[in-house]
Amino acid sequence: QVQLVESGGGLVQAGGSLRLSCAASGRNYAMGWFRQAPGKEREFVAGISWSGGRTYYADSVKGRFTISRDNAQNTVALQMNSLKPEDTAVYYCAAQAFGSGSISSREYNFWGSGTQVTVSS
């Protein structure tokens, strides 16, 4: 069983930055970050292949967010810059047991419990 633990969420003013981290147990998997705002469906934010050689982003965060990983530490990070109020959500880390990554939440097998990010205007 893979365990994923997110950290780094909090309250920040618009234009500010936060760095989320996800610590994973087990072997290295393709990983993704998703978010869910109140009353909305969970949406893809960013993904990274197991090697770290491929990254991809939702259009809404492209150029502002950066996903990275440290396979030696078995961690995945999401650096979020130029934050906007519409980025407010619970952010989830997810691992895909088989495959090279996906923007679909249905393709991920393991999920963390989430960390709250609140951006004030």
Side-chain angles (χ1 to χ4, degrees):
Q1 184 70 18
V2 176
Q3 290 188 326
L4 303 174
V5 180
E6 303 98 336
S7 61
L11 173 64
V12 65
Q13 288 188 330
S17 298
L18 281 174
R19 184 177 178 86
L20 305 183
S21 184
C22 174
S25 64
R27 65 177 179 87
N28 293 313
Y29 299 92
M31 303 289 290
W33 285 96
F34 291 77
R35 66 187 182 187
Q36 188 166 18
K40 295 189 177 181
E41 293 187 354
R42 190 170 298 189
E43 65 174 0
F44 169 78
V45 175
I48 188 166
S49 62
W50 71 268
S51 69
R54 185 172 80 100
T55 59
Y56 44 104
Y57 301 90
D59 287 343
S60 59
V61 306
K62 204 170 292 184
R64 300 187 298 122
F65 291 12
T66 302
I67 189 171
S68 60
R69 68 187 303 156
D70 182 340
N71 283 348
Q73 299 293 324
N74 217 354
T75 58
V76 176
L78 184 68
Q79 178 66 42
M80 305 185 295
N81 298 328
S82 302
L83 282 161
K84 304 175 181 180
E86 51 263 44
D87 294 318
T88 295
V90 176
Y91 282 70
Y92 297 91
C93 172
Q96 186 185 38
F98 302 100
S100 58
S102 173
I103 64 171
S104 171
S105 61
R106 292 189 297 271
E107 299 292 324
Y108 289 82
N109 307 94
F110 307 105
W111 293 83
S113 59
T115 184
Q116 176 70 48
V117 171
T118 303
V119 184
S120 63
S121 57

